[in-house]
Amino acid sequence: MKIGVRAHDFGKRGIREMAALLHDEEYEAAQLALPKAFLEIESYEDVTPDKLGQIRRAFEEQDVAISVLGCYMDLGNPDPQIRRQGVETVKKSLTWGKELGAAVVGTETAYPHLNAQERAQWKPFMIDSVLRILEEAARVDMPLAIEPVWWHPLEDLDTTLEVIRLAGDERHLRLIFDAANVLKDPDHTDQDAFWDLWLGQIGKYVDVMHIKDFSLNRKNQYQPEALGAGVMRYGQIGRWLAAQDREISLLREEMNLLFAKEDIGFMRRLQAGTV
């Protein structure tokens, strides 16, 4: 298992600078969002074979694996033009991910914070988009990893299992599991049981975990925290990880330099099942 980080949490930097920085900060893996991470790439239109080669060589030289090529698109949007653009961009990213040597191309299924009615409305569009992208994933043999989020169309365990069943392609449909993004009600959730339920059902599809922690202020607003300082209870997740015998990347999201080193230590304990 590898300990990594979302690269653009360090801001936008040159390709070689970013790779060297992640190595120096003791990360073994990264999630890359090309237009957010690199000064050389302003938009997806700027992606070229030469720039992809530069990224691959720089990260290989620094021994930092590209666990996720992030291409987060609004795949459930009812607007067909927005949805079509999102699908086509993710399809392009599957080829780019293969050229980069990335493990998966990752996406959520929406941008906005949707209410229950909107999530139900967006769900069939999301499923259609995922299935269209999977056709390309199978063609180029590059896995797509989708990320459940409770305020998006891919909102819960049942919906995730439904998409897995409809896809019927374990090789090319994988998951990014961000526990914080499916914990809708931390004050009234038995987290050990909750994570046991999730991972017991979808664990074999999980190739990447996003690791973060948070608290809710008096206005019920989300506040990022150091790992172990918020509402997240990672004990059962750590025990599950310790029992695995395959590569799973743990990627820190919302990295804060004030406690980045301590967070790496937390993730190493999590990896060992000793949190």
Side-chain angles (χ1 to χ4, degrees), residues 34 43 53 72 153 187 213 254 260 270:
L34 300 181
S43 69
Y72 283 43
D187 289 339
D213 208 342
E254 301 171 351
L270 178 62

Side-chain angles (χ1 to χ4, degrees), residues 79-274:
D79 185 317
Q81 184 174 351
I82 292 174
R83 199 166 65 251
R84 188 181 308 113
Q85 182 179 4
V87 168
E88 291 305 314
T89 305
V90 178
K91 284 182 176 181
K92 291 177 186 177
S93 293
L94 292 166
T95 299
W96 298 337
K98 198 170 185 70
E99 294 180 26
L100 286 170
V104 299
V105 170
T107 183
E108 292 177 353
T109 58
Y111 287 153
H113 201 296
L114 304 174
N115 62 35
Q117 182 179 353
E118 291 167 330
R119 294 197 295 274
Q121 178 191 5
W122 288 40
K123 177 182 170 180
F125 299 119
M126 175 271 294
I127 292 174
D128 179 71
S129 294
V130 170
L131 295 180
R132 289 176 184 272
I133 294 167
L134 277 174
E135 292 176 358
E136 182 71 1
R139 188 186 74 81
V140 302
D141 194 22
M142 181 69 207
L144 170 73
I146 54 176
E147 182 176 343
V149 180
W150 72 258
W151 58 90
H152 285 173
L154 192 70
E155 62 178 305
D156 55 23
L157 179 57
D158 286 344
T159 306
T160 304
L161 290 170
E162 180 181 357
V163 173
I164 287 172
R165 177 181 59 79
L166 290 170
D169 187 352
E170 182 178 341
R171 176 178 175 86
H172 296 108
L173 182 64
R174 309 301 296 166
L175 294 177
I176 297 171
F177 186 64
D178 186 329
N181 282 357
V182 298
L183 184 61
K184 186 175 182 179
D185 187 7
D187 289 339
H188 301 95
T189 301
D190 178 342
Q191 291 192 40
D192 280 358
F194 195 54
W195 308 137
D196 190 53
L197 176 64
W198 267 93
L199 294 171
Q201 293 288 312
I202 54 88
K204 69 178 182 177
Y205 292 89
V206 174
D207 286 347
V208 177
M209 285 193 177
H210 285 165
I211 307 300
K212 59 181 184 248
D213 208 342
F214 69 98
S215 60
L216 298 172
N217 66 19
R218 292 181 180 178
K219 296 181 179 180
N220 208 39
Q221 295 170 323
Y222 181 97
Q223 304 288 330
E225 301 285 358
L227 298 180
V231 302
M232 294 298 299
R233 300 292 175 261
Y234 276 106
Q236 184 61 22
I237 293 173
R239 288 185 285 274
W240 182 85
L241 284 167
Q244 304 309 301
D245 60 356
R246 59 187 180 88
E247 184 71 53
I248 299 173
S249 295
L250 307 184
L251 304 181
R252 177 66 162 113
E253 276 199 327
E254 301 171 351
M255 183 278 307
N256 187 321
L257 286 171
L258 292 175
F259 37 79
K261 295 298 185 187
E262 291 82 355
D263 284 348
I264 290 175
F266 182 98
M267 288 192 289
R268 296 204 184 284
R269 296 192 300 277
L270 178 62
Q271 186 181 52
T274 59

Side-chain angles (χ1 to χ4, degrees), residues 27-42:
Y27 293 106
E28 303 159 336
Q31 175 164 326
L32 303 181
L34 300 181
K36 293 182 178 181
F38 300 119
L39 294 171
E40 294 89 343
I41 300 175
E42 287 298 320

